Coordinates of all heavy atoms in Angstrom, one line a residue:
M1 N 143.9 144.0 122.0 CA 143.0 145.1 121.5 C 142.4 144.8 120.2 O 142.9 144.0 119.4 CB 143.9 146.4 121.3 CG 144.6 146.9 122.6 SD 143.5 147.4 123.8 CE 143.3 149.1 123.4
V2 N 141.2 145.4 120.0 CA 140.5 145.3 118.7 C 140.4 146.7 118.1 O 140.4 147.7 118.8 CB 139.1 144.6 118.8 CG1 139.2 143.2 119.3 CG2 138.2 145.4 119.8
Y3 N 140.3 146.7 116.7 CA 140.4 147.9 116.0 C 139.2 148.1 115.1 O 138.7 147.2 114.6 CB 141.7 148.0 115.2 CG 142.9 147.9 116.0 CD1 143.5 146.7 116.3 CD2 143.5 149.1 116.5 CE1 144.6 146.6 117.1 CE2 144.7 149.0 117.3 CZ 145.2 147.7 117.6 OH 146.3 147.6 118.4
C4 N 138.9 149.4 114.9 CA 137.8 149.7 113.9 C 138.4 149.8 112.5 O 139.5 150.5 112.3 CB 137.1 151.0 114.3 SG 136.0 151.6 113.0
K5 N 137.8 149.2 111.5 CA 138.4 149.2 110.2 C 138.2 150.6 109.5 O 138.8 150.8 108.4 CB 137.8 148.1 109.3 CG 136.4 148.2 109.0 CD 136.0 147.0 108.1 CE 134.5 147.1 107.7 NZ 134.2 145.9 106.9
Y6 N 137.3 151.4 110.0 CA 137.1 152.7 109.3 C 137.8 153.9 110.0 O 138.1 154.9 109.3 CB 135.6 153.0 109.3 CG 134.8 152.1 108.5 CD1 133.7 151.5 108.9 CD2 135.2 151.9 107.1 CE1 133.0 150.6 108.1 CE2 134.5 151.0 106.3 CZ 133.4 150.4 106.8 OH 132.7 149.6 106.0
C7 N 138.2 153.8 111.2 CA 138.9 154.9 111.9 C 140.1 154.5 112.6 O 140.9 155.3 113.0 CB 138.0 155.7 112.8 SG 137.6 154.8 114.3
G8 N 140.3 153.2 112.8 CA 141.5 152.7 113.4 C 141.6 152.8 115.0 O 142.6 152.5 115.6
M9 N 140.5 153.3 115.6 CA 140.5 153.4 117.0 C 140.6 152.0 117.7 O 140.0 151.0 117.2 CB 139.3 154.2 117.5 CG 139.5 155.7 117.3 SD 138.0 156.6 117.7 CE 137.9 156.4 119.5
A10 N 141.3 151.9 118.8 CA 141.5 150.6 119.5 C 140.6 150.5 120.7 O 140.4 151.5 121.5 CB 142.9 150.5 119.9
Y11 N 140.1 149.4 121.0 CA 139.2 149.1 122.1 C 139.6 147.8 122.8 O 140.2 146.9 122.2 CB 137.7 149.1 121.7 CG 137.2 150.4 121.4 CD1 137.2 150.9 120.1 CD2 136.6 151.2 122.4 CE1 136.8 152.2 119.8 CE2 136.1 152.5 122.1 CZ 136.2 152.9 120.8 OH 135.7 154.2 120.5
Q12 N 139.2 147.7 124.0 CA 139.5 146.5 124.8 C 138.8 145.2 124.2 O 139.3 144.1 124.2 CB 139.2 146.6 126.3 CG 139.9 147.7 127.0 CD 141.3 147.3 127.3 OE1 141.7 146.2 127.1 NE2 142.1 148.2 127.8
D13 N 137.6 145.4 123.9 CA 136.8 144.3 123.3 C 135.8 144.7 122.3 O 135.4 145.9 122.2 CB 136.3 143.3 124.3 CG 135.1 143.9 125.1 OD1 134.2 144.4 124.5 OD2 135.2 143.9 126.4
V14 N 135.3 143.7 121.5 CA 134.4 144.0 120.4 C 133.1 144.7 120.9 O 132.6 145.5 120.2 CB 134.1 142.7 119.6 CG1 133.2 143.0 118.5 CG2 135.4 142.1 119.1
R15 N 132.6 144.3 122.0 CA 131.3 144.8 122.4 C 131.4 146.3 122.7 O 130.5 147.1 122.4 CB 130.9 144.1 123.7 CG 130.0 142.9 123.4 CD 129.4 142.3 124.6 NE 130.5 141.8 125.5 CZ 130.3 141.3 126.7 NH1 129.0 141.2 127.2 NH2 131.2 140.9 127.5
I16 N 132.6 146.8 123.2 CA 132.7 148.2 123.5 C 132.9 148.9 122.1 O 132.3 150.0 121.9 CB 133.9 148.5 124.4 CG1 133.8 147.7 125.7 CG2 134.1 150.0 124.7 CD1 135.0 147.7 126.6
L17 N 133.7 148.3 121.3 CA 133.9 148.9 119.9 C 132.6 149.2 119.2 O 132.3 150.3 118.7 CB 134.9 148.0 119.1 CG 135.2 148.5 117.7 CD1 136.7 148.2 117.4 CD2 134.4 147.8 116.7
T18 N 131.8 148.1 119.1 CA 130.6 148.2 118.3 C 129.5 149.0 119.0 O 128.4 149.3 118.4 CB 130.0 146.8 118.0 OG1 129.9 146.1 119.2 CG2 130.9 146.1 117.0
A19 N 129.7 149.4 120.3 CA 128.7 150.2 121.0 C 129.0 151.7 120.8 O 128.2 152.6 121.2 CB 128.7 149.9 122.5
N20 N 130.1 152.1 120.2 CA 130.5 153.5 120.1 C 130.4 154.0 118.7 O 130.7 153.2 117.7 CB 131.9 153.7 120.7 CG 131.9 153.7 122.2 OD1 131.6 154.7 122.8 ND2 132.3 152.5 122.7
Q21 N 130.2 155.3 118.5 CA 130.1 155.9 117.2 C 131.4 156.1 116.6 O 132.4 156.4 117.3 CB 129.3 157.2 117.3 CG 127.9 157.0 117.7 CD 127.1 158.3 117.6 OE1 127.6 159.3 117.1 NE2 125.8 158.3 117.9
C22 N 131.4 155.9 115.3 CA 132.7 156.0 114.5 C 132.7 157.4 113.8 O 131.9 157.8 113.1 CB 132.7 154.9 113.4 SG 134.2 155.0 112.4
P23 N 133.8 158.1 114.1 CA 133.9 159.5 113.5 C 134.3 159.5 112.0 O 134.2 160.5 111.4 CB 135.1 160.1 114.3 CG 135.9 158.9 114.7 CD 134.9 157.8 115.0
N24 N 134.6 158.3 111.5 CA 135.1 158.2 110.1 C 134.3 157.2 109.3 O 134.8 156.6 108.3 CB 136.6 157.9 110.1 CG 137.3 158.4 108.8 OD1 137.0 159.4 108.3 ND2 138.2 157.5 108.3
H25 N 133.1 156.8 109.7 CA 132.3 155.8 109.0 C 131.8 156.3 107.7 O 131.3 157.4 107.6 CB 131.1 155.4 109.9 CG 130.5 154.1 109.5 ND1 129.9 153.9 108.3 CD2 130.5 152.9 110.1 CE1 129.5 152.7 108.2 NE2 129.8 152.0 109.3
P26 N 132.0 155.5 106.6 CA 131.6 156.0 105.3 C 130.1 156.3 105.1 O 129.7 157.1 104.3 CB 132.1 154.9 104.3 CG 132.2 153.7 105.2 CD 132.6 154.2 106.6
A27 N 129.3 155.6 105.9 CA 127.9 155.9 105.8 C 127.4 157.1 106.6 O 126.2 157.4 106.6 CB 127.1 154.6 106.3
G28 N 128.3 157.7 107.3 CA 128.0 159.0 107.9 C 128.0 159.0 109.4 O 128.3 158.0 110.1
R29 N 127.6 160.1 110.0 CA 127.6 160.3 111.4 C 126.6 159.4 112.1 O 125.5 159.1 111.5 CB 127.3 161.7 111.8 CG 128.5 162.6 111.6 CD 128.1 164.1 111.7 NE 129.2 164.9 111.3 CZ 129.9 165.6 112.1 NH1 129.7 165.5 113.4 NH2 130.9 166.3 111.7
G30 N 126.9 159.0 113.3 CA 125.9 158.1 114.0 C 126.1 156.7 113.8 O 125.5 155.9 114.6
C31 N 126.9 156.3 112.8 CA 127.2 154.8 112.6 C 128.2 154.4 113.7 O 129.1 155.2 114.1 CB 127.7 154.6 111.2 SG 126.4 154.9 110.0
R32 N 128.1 153.1 114.0 CA 129.1 152.6 115.0 C 130.4 152.1 114.3 O 130.4 151.8 113.1 CB 128.4 151.4 115.7 CG 127.0 151.6 116.1 CD 126.9 152.4 117.4 NE 125.6 152.7 117.7 CZ 125.2 153.5 118.8 NH1 126.1 153.9 119.6 NH2 123.9 153.7 118.9
H33 N 131.4 152.0 115.1 CA 132.6 151.4 114.6 C 132.3 150.0 114.1 O 131.4 149.3 114.5 CB 133.6 151.2 115.8 CG 134.1 152.5 116.4 ND1 134.8 153.4 115.7 CD2 133.9 153.0 117.6 CE1 135.1 154.4 116.5 NE2 134.5 154.2 117.7
E34 N 133.2 149.6 113.1 CA 133.1 148.2 112.7 C 134.4 147.5 112.8 O 135.5 148.1 112.6 CB 132.6 148.2 111.2 CG 131.1 148.4 111.1 CD 130.6 148.3 109.7 OE1 131.1 147.5 108.9 OE2 129.7 149.0 109.3
L35 N 134.3 146.3 113.2 CA 135.5 145.5 113.6 C 136.5 145.3 112.4 O 136.0 144.8 111.3 CB 135.1 144.2 114.2 CG 136.2 143.2 114.6 CD1 137.0 143.8 115.7 CD2 135.7 141.9 115.0
Y36 N 137.7 145.6 112.6 CA 138.8 145.2 111.7 C 139.1 143.7 112.0 O 139.5 143.4 113.1 CB 140.0 146.1 111.8 CG 141.3 145.5 111.2 CD1 141.4 145.3 109.9 CD2 142.3 145.1 112.0 CE1 142.5 144.7 109.3 CE2 143.5 144.6 111.5 CZ 143.6 144.4 110.1 OH 144.7 143.8 109.5
E37 N 138.8 142.8 111.1 CA 138.9 141.4 111.4 C 140.3 140.8 111.1 O 140.5 139.6 111.3 CB 137.8 140.6 110.6 CG 136.5 141.1 111.1 CD 135.3 140.3 110.4 OE1 134.9 140.8 109.4 OE2 134.9 139.3 110.9
G38 N 141.2 141.6 110.6 CA 142.6 141.1 110.5 C 143.4 141.1 111.8 O 142.9 141.5 112.8
S39 N 144.6 140.6 111.7 CA 145.4 140.5 112.9 C 146.2 141.8 113.0 O 146.3 142.6 112.1 CB 146.4 139.3 112.8 OG 147.1 139.4 111.6
E40 N 146.8 142.0 114.2 CA 147.7 143.1 114.4 C 149.0 142.9 113.6 O 149.5 141.8 113.6 CB 148.0 143.2 115.9 CG 146.9 143.8 116.7 CD 147.3 144.2 118.1 OE1 148.3 145.0 118.2 OE2 146.7 143.8 119.1
K41 N 149.4 143.9 113.0 CA 150.6 143.8 112.1 C 151.6 144.9 112.4 O 151.3 145.9 113.0 CB 150.2 143.9 110.7 CG 149.2 142.8 110.2 CD 148.9 143.0 108.7 CE 148.1 141.9 108.1 NZ 146.6 142.0 108.5
K42 N 152.8 144.7 111.9 CA 153.8 145.8 112.0 C 153.5 146.9 111.0 O 153.8 148.1 111.2 CB 155.2 145.2 111.6 CG 155.7 144.4 112.7 CD 157.3 144.3 112.7 CE 157.9 143.5 113.8 NZ 157.6 142.1 113.6
Q43 N 152.9 146.5 109.9 CA 152.4 147.6 109.0 C 151.1 147.1 108.3 O 150.9 145.9 108.1 CB 153.4 148.0 108.0 CG 153.9 146.9 107.1 CD 154.9 147.5 106.1 OE1 155.5 148.5 106.3 NE2 155.1 146.8 105.0
Y44 N 150.3 148.0 107.9 CA 149.0 147.7 107.3 C 148.9 148.2 105.9 O 149.4 149.2 105.6 CB 147.8 148.4 108.2 CG 147.8 147.9 109.6 CD1 148.6 148.5 110.6 CD2 147.1 146.7 109.9 CE1 148.6 148.0 111.9 CE2 147.1 146.3 111.2 CZ 147.8 146.9 112.2 OH 147.8 146.5 113.5
T45 N 148.2 147.3 105.1 CA 148.2 147.6 103.6 C 146.7 148.0 103.2 O 145.8 147.3 103.7 CB 148.6 146.4 102.8 OG1 149.9 146.0 103.3 CG2 148.7 146.7 101.3
C46 N 146.6 149.0 102.4 CA 145.2 149.3 101.9 C 144.9 148.3 100.9 O 145.6 148.0 100.0 CB 145.2 150.7 101.3 SG 143.7 151.1 100.4
K47 N 143.6 147.8 101.0 CA 143.2 146.7 100.1 C 142.9 147.2 98.7 O 142.8 146.4 97.7 CB 142.0 145.9 100.6 CG 140.7 146.7 100.8 CD 139.7 145.8 101.4 CE 138.4 146.6 101.6 NZ 137.4 145.7 102.3
Y48 N 142.8 148.5 98.5 CA 142.5 149.1 97.2 C 143.7 149.6 96.4 O 143.7 149.5 95.2 CB 141.4 150.2 97.3 CG 140.1 149.7 97.9 CD1 139.6 150.3 99.0 CD2 139.4 148.7 97.3 CE1 138.4 149.9 99.6 CE2 138.2 148.3 97.8 CZ 137.7 148.9 99.0 OH 136.5 148.4 99.5
C49 N 144.6 150.2 97.1 CA 145.7 150.8 96.4 C 147.1 150.2 96.8 O 148.1 150.5 96.1 CB 145.7 152.3 96.6 SG 146.2 152.8 98.3
G50 N 147.1 149.5 97.9 CA 148.4 148.8 98.3 C 149.4 149.7 99.1 O 150.4 149.2 99.4
L51 N 149.0 150.9 99.4 CA 149.9 151.7 100.2 C 149.9 151.1 101.6 O 149.0 150.5 102.1 CB 149.4 153.2 100.3 CG 149.7 154.1 99.2 CD1 149.1 155.5 99.5 CD2 151.2 154.3 99.1
T52 N 151.1 151.3 102.3 CA 151.2 150.7 103.6 C 151.4 151.8 104.6 O 152.0 152.8 104.4 CB 152.4 149.7 103.7 OG1 153.6 150.4 103.3 CG2 152.2 148.5 102.7
Y53 N 150.9 151.5 105.8 CA 151.0 152.5 106.9 C 151.4 151.7 108.2 O 151.0 150.5 108.3 CB 149.7 153.2 107.2 CG 149.4 154.2 106.1 CD1 148.7 153.8 105.0 CD2 149.7 155.6 106.3 CE1 148.4 154.7 104.0 CE2 149.4 156.5 105.3 CZ 148.7 156.0 104.1 OH 148.4 156.9 103.2
R54 N 152.1 152.3 109.1 CA 152.4 151.6 110.3 C 151.2 151.6 111.3 O 151.2 150.7 112.2 CB 153.6 152.3 111.0 CG 154.9 152.3 110.2 CD 156.0 153.0 110.9 NE 156.4 152.3 112.1 CZ 157.4 151.3 112.0 NH1 158.0 151.1 110.9 NH2 157.7 150.7 113.1
E55 N 150.3 152.5 111.2 CA 149.2 152.6 112.1 C 147.9 152.6 111.3 O 147.7 153.3 110.4 CB 149.2 153.9 112.9 CG 150.5 154.2 113.6 CD 150.6 153.5 114.9 OE1 149.6 153.0 115.4 OE2 151.7 153.4 115.5
L56 N 146.9 151.8 111.9 CA 145.6 151.8 111.3 C 145.0 153.2 111.4 O 144.2 153.6 110.5 CB 144.7 150.8 112.0 CG 144.7 149.3 111.5 CD1 143.7 148.5 112.3 CD2 144.3 149.2 110.0
L57 N 145.3 153.9 112.4 CA 144.8 155.2 112.7 C 145.1 156.1 111.5 O 144.3 157.0 111.1 CB 145.4 155.7 114.0 CG 144.5 156.6 114.9 CD1 143.2 156.0 115.2 CD2 145.3 156.9 116.2
T58 N 146.3 156.0 111.0 CA 146.8 156.8 109.9 C 146.2 156.3 108.6 O 145.7 157.1 107.7 CB 148.3 156.8 109.8 OG1 148.8 156.8 111.1 CG2 148.8 158.0 109.0
L59 N 146.2 155.0 108.3 CA 145.7 154.5 107.1 C 144.3 154.9 106.9 O 143.9 155.4 105.8 CB 145.9 153.0 107.1 CG 145.4 152.2 105.9 CD1 146.2 150.9 105.7 CD2 143.9 151.8 106.0
T60 N 143.5 154.7 107.9 CA 142.0 154.9 107.7 C 141.6 156.4 107.6 O 140.5 156.7 107.3 CB 141.3 154.3 108.9 OG1 141.8 154.8 110.1 CG2 141.4 152.8 108.9
R61 N 142.6 157.3 107.9 CA 142.2 158.8 107.9 C 142.7 159.4 106.6 O 142.5 160.6 106.5 CB 142.8 159.5 109.1 CG 142.3 158.9 110.4 CD 140.8 159.0 110.6 NE 140.4 158.4 111.9 CZ 140.2 159.1 113.0 NH1 140.3 160.4 113.0 NH2 139.8 158.5 114.1
N62 N 143.4 158.7 105.8 CA 143.9 159.3 104.5 C 143.1 158.8 103.3 O 142.7 157.7 103.2 CB 145.4 158.9 104.4 CG 146.3 159.8 105.3 OD1 146.6 160.9 105.0 ND2 146.7 159.2 106.4
R63 N 143.0 159.7 102.4 CA 142.2 159.5 101.2 C 142.8 158.4 100.3 O 144.0 158.5 100.1 CB 142.0 160.7 100.4 CG 141.4 161.9 101.2 CD 139.9 162.0 100.9 NE 139.4 163.2 101.6 CZ 138.6 163.1 102.7 NH1 138.2 161.9 103.1 NH2 138.1 164.2 103.3
C64 N 142.0 157.6 99.7 CA 142.5 156.5 98.8 C 142.1 156.9 97.4 O 140.9 157.0 97.1 CB 141.9 155.2 99.2 SG 142.4 153.9 98.1
L65 N 143.1 157.0 96.6 CA 142.8 157.4 95.2 C 142.2 156.3 94.3 O 141.7 156.5 93.2 CB 144.1 157.9 94.5 CG 144.7 159.2 95.2 CD1 146.0 159.6 94.5 CD2 143.7 160.4 95.1
R66 N 142.3 155.1 94.8 CA 141.8 154.0 94.1 C 140.5 153.4 94.7 O 140.1 152.3 94.3 CB 142.8 152.9 93.9 CG 144.0 153.4 93.1 CD 144.6 152.3 92.3 NE 145.8 152.8 91.6 CZ 146.9 152.0 91.4 NH1 147.0 150.8 91.9 NH2 147.9 152.6 90.8
H67 N 140.0 154.1 95.6 CA 138.8 153.5 96.3 C 137.6 153.4 95.3 O 137.4 154.4 94.5 CB 138.3 154.4 97.5 CG 137.4 153.7 98.4 ND1 136.1 153.3 98.0 CD2 137.6 153.3 99.7 CE1 135.6 152.7 99.1 NE2 136.4 152.6 100.1
P68 N 137.0 152.3 95.2 CA 135.9 152.1 94.2 C 134.7 153.0 94.3 O 134.0 153.3 93.4 CB 135.5 150.6 94.3 CG 136.0 150.2 95.7 CD 137.2 151.0 95.9
D69 N 134.5 153.6 95.5 CA 133.4 154.5 95.8 C 133.8 155.9 95.6 O 133.0 156.8 96.0 CB 132.8 154.2 97.2 CG 132.2 152.8 97.3 OD1 131.9 152.2 96.3 OD2 132.0 152.3 98.4
G70 N 135.0 156.2 95.2 CA 135.3 157.6 94.9 C 136.5 158.1 95.7 O 136.9 157.5 96.6
K71 N 137.0 159.2 95.2 CA 138.3 159.7 95.7 C 138.1 160.4 97.1 O 139.1 160.8 97.7 CB 138.9 160.7 94.7 CG 139.4 160.0 93.5 CD 140.3 160.9 92.7 CE 141.0 160.2 91.6 NZ 140.1 159.7 90.5
S72 N 136.9 160.6 97.6 CA 136.7 161.2 98.9 C 136.8 160.1 100.0 O 136.7 160.5 101.2 CB 135.4 162.0 99.0 OG 134.3 161.1 98.8
R73 N 136.9 158.9 99.6 CA 136.9 157.8 100.6 C 138.3 157.5 101.1 O 139.3 157.8 100.3 CB 136.2 156.5 100.0 CG 134.7 156.7 99.8 CD 133.9 156.5 101.0 NE 134.2 155.3 101.7 CZ 133.5 154.2 101.4 NH1 132.5 154.2 100.5 NH2 133.8 153.0 102.0
C74 N 138.4 156.9 102.2 CA 139.7 156.7 102.8 C 140.2 155.2 102.5 O 139.4 154.4 102.2 CB 139.7 156.9 104.3 SG 139.3 158.6 104.7
H75 N 141.5 155.0 102.8 CA 142.0 153.7 102.6 C 141.3 152.7 103.6 O 140.8 153.1 104.6 CB 143.5 153.6 103.0 CG 144.4 154.5 102.2 ND1 144.6 154.4 100.9 CD2 145.1 155.6 102.6 CE1 145.4 155.3 100.5 NE2 145.7 156.1 101.5
E76 N 141.2 151.4 103.2 CA 140.7 150.4 104.0 C 141.7 149.3 104.1 O 142.3 148.9 103.2 CB 139.3 149.8 103.5 CG 138.2 150.8 103.7 CD 136.9 150.2 103.3 OE1 136.7 149.0 103.4 OE2 136.0 151.0 102.9
P77 N 141.9 148.8 105.4 CA 143.0 147.8 105.6 C 142.6 146.5 105.0 O 141.5 146.0 105.1 CB 143.1 147.7 107.1 CG 141.7 148.1 107.6 CD 141.2 149.1 106.6
A78 N 143.6 145.8 104.3 CA 143.5 144.4 103.9 C 143.6 143.6 105.2 O 144.2 144.0 106.2 CB 144.6 144.0 103.0
L79 N 143.0 142.4 105.2 CA 143.0 141.6 106.4 C 144.4 140.9 106.6 O 145.1 140.8 105.7 CB 142.0 140.5 106.3 CG 140.5 141.0 106.2 CD1 139.6 139.8 106.3 CD2 140.2 141.9 107.4
Ligands
ZN1 ZN1 135.6 153.7 113.8
ZN2 ZN1 144.1 153.0 99.4

């Protein structure tokens, strides 16, 4: 499976992922999912604040207090 780095949704392959709209894309509605280029892990770490989550789905939907673009942005997974 491949994952979107902004919402954590899983797809069978990259072409399907990038063809679909992302509900949590920082640039707004209508943008497509973007590929999380890291490997599958037992837990995922936010690259800005270091918090860890078991699921990308959870990590990407929670606000990151250390995000450089502001406190309304969500965690982003480290690779
Ligand atoms: Zn997405
Ligand atoms: Zn974070």
Side-chain angles (χ1 to χ4, degrees):
M1 299 296 271
V2 294
Y3 299 88
C4 170
K5 68 177 177 182
Y6 292 129
C7 72
M9 283 173 68
Y11 287 89
Q12 297 283 355
D13 70 54
V14 178
R15 271 187 296 177
I16 305 172
L17 179 140
T18 53
N20 284 280
Q21 292 189 3
C22 179
N24 203 41
H25 197 292
R29 285 168 187 257
C31 294
R32 316 277 172 184
H33 298 294
E34 283 185 32
L35 178 65
Y36 163 64
E37 294 180 272
S39 55
E40 287 194 52
K41 299 182 174 77
K42 288 204 177 71
Q43 60 178 21
Y44 298 90
T45 306
C46 171
K47 65 182 179 184
Y48 298 121
C49 71
L51 277 178
T52 57
Y53 291 84
R54 297 179 69 92
E55 306 277 347
L56 273 181
L57 215 52
T58 320
L59 181 147
T60 53
R61 304 298 178 98
N62 282 282
R63 306 259 183 252
C64 180
L65 296 179
R66 295 215 184 142
H67 197 293
D69 294 340
K71 290 191 170 66
S72 64
R73 293 280 302 270
C74 296
H75 302 295
E76 285 183 32
L79 296 184

